[in-house]
Amino acid sequence: MLSVDRLCEQLKARGRRLTPQRRAIIQVLLENNTHPTAEQVFTHVREDMPDISHATVYNTLRELVEMNLLRELDLGLGERHYDFTTDNHAHLVCLGCGRIEDVPCDGNAVKLSPQHTHGFQVVDYDVIFRGYCPTCISQKA
Ligand SMILES: [Zn+2]
Ligand SMILES: [Zn+2]
């Protein structure tokens, strides 16, 4: 399981400075495992640390992504979302309200046959199911 302490240790192990701000950002990401945007992370962290800057939040998110500890998702909702769950899973996205759910996705479900890779070494892919959640369906009816 991911924990704030373990993630902080990984940062330190890679020679990154561990500031109280970074710790707070990691904590917010873990506690709100709802695929927040950078802006939502910023708003949450600021509740405890009113002095934190946008740049600190954005830079920390970028570093965590670069270190493969955090996934950056473009779900077609206009903003990037952040996800600490880096193992294979797909996303269900509501086009009405932007609700995002994790759904299991077997890595073998999406496979490029060798003749279709154009010589690429594929390292990542995203599977996104788009539609409308029950709340949005009942509001439309
Ligand atoms: Zn919805
Ligand atoms: Zn996810």
Side-chain angles (χ1 to χ4, degrees):
M1 264 306 281
L2 285 169
S3 72
V4 176
D5 284 333
R6 262 185 65 181
L7 286 160
C8 288
E9 265 167 39
Q10 296 209 38
L11 272 176
K12 271 196 283 188
R14 297 184 208 198
R16 310 289 170 133
R17 271 196 330 135
L18 193 62
T19 59
Q21 286 85 352
R22 289 190 172 185
R23 212 188 154 83
I25 292 164
I26 290 172
Q27 182 126 28
V28 162
L29 282 164
L30 275 180
E31 284 173 0
N32 303 272
N33 203 3
T34 51
H35 309 84
T37 63
E39 202 55 41
Q40 286 167 339
V41 174
F42 176 65
T43 306
H44 272 290
V45 176
R46 214 173 38 174
E47 287 166 12
D48 289 330
M49 294 188 163
D51 293 336
I52 198 160
S53 70
H54 257 113
T56 304
V57 173
Y58 280 79
N59 289 339
T60 303
L61 292 173
R62 204 192 53 228
E63 275 187 43
L64 290 167
V65 170
E66 280 169 7
M67 292 163 73
N68 282 326
L69 296 174
L70 187 66
R71 247 173 100 180
E72 188 177 57
L73 304 165
D74 184 349
L75 299 170
L77 295 170
E79 276 187 279
R80 280 163 200 275
H81 294 257
Y82 293 91
D83 192 353
F84 254 138
T85 312
T86 50
D87 54 336
N88 265 343
H89 67 280
H91 292 99
L92 258 178
V93 176
C94 178
L95 296 168
C97 65
R99 178 176 158 188
I100 302 163
E101 294 291 342
D102 281 340
V103 288
C105 181
D106 176 4
N108 291 318
V110 186
K111 231 185 184 120
L112 220 45
S113 57
Q115 68 264 38
H116 291 145
T117 59
H118 297 270
F120 281 46
Q121 185 187 10
V122 177
V123 293
D124 195 20
Y125 63 88
D126 286 315
V127 178
I128 304 165
F129 299 95
R130 295 189 181 85
Y132 294 92
C133 74
T135 309
C136 289
I137 292 169
S138 65
Q139 277 170 6
K140 274 206 293 189

